[in-house]
Amino acid sequence: MIKAIIIDDEKHCIVTLNHLLAQLDNIEVVAVTQDSTQAKKLIEEYQPNLVFLDIEMPNGNAFDLLDKLMPINFEIIFITAFENYSLKAFK
């Protein structure tokens, strides 16, 4: 079973992604948050295999969060409406 966390400041995005993931048998969403500060605590607590991560959020962005979590021991799927972050996300 893949443990996943969804981090996005837009509630409707969390609801939609959570609904889609609920249809899969091998992914369990163990936590969701709209707050990047709480995200760090949830990742440390739940030790997920996969994090769905919005790039631009209040109180910092995804890259700030990831810098605080180094080394990264989980897979990341970036979710964003900002195409200018795509190159940085791939790196």
Side-chain angles (χ1 to χ4, degrees):
M1 179 69 67
I2 297 170
K3 293 188 303 184
I5 293 178
I6 302 171
I7 304 165
D8 196 319
D9 63 324
E10 296 187 38
K11 183 70 173 171
H12 72 277
C13 293
I14 290 175
V15 170
T16 300
L17 184 55
N18 206 10
H19 174 74
L20 292 170
L21 293 173
Q23 298 175 38
L24 303 174
D25 293 333
N26 61 336
I27 296 181
E28 176 188 10
V29 177
V30 294
V32 301
T33 187
Q34 294 178 266
D35 183 288
S36 60
T37 305
Q38 184 184 28
K40 181 179 183 295
K41 295 173 188 172
L42 291 173
I43 290 170
E44 291 171 343
E45 178 182 346
Y46 287 98
Q47 297 292 303
N49 309 101
L50 177 62
V51 173
F52 292 89
L53 183 56
D54 186 13
I55 294 179
E56 189 62 43
M57 296 179 289
N59 304 321
N61 64 37
F63 305 112
D64 297 332
L65 173 64
L66 294 173
D67 285 343
K68 295 174 189 173
L69 291 167
M70 295 302 269
I72 304 301
N73 59 356
F74 51 85
E75 299 297 320
I76 303 163
I77 296 177
F78 289 106
I79 48 179
T80 186
F82 296 95
E83 66 183 51
N84 58 319
Y85 287 118
S86 59
L87 289 178
K88 189 169 184 177
F90 284 125
K91 291 179 183 180

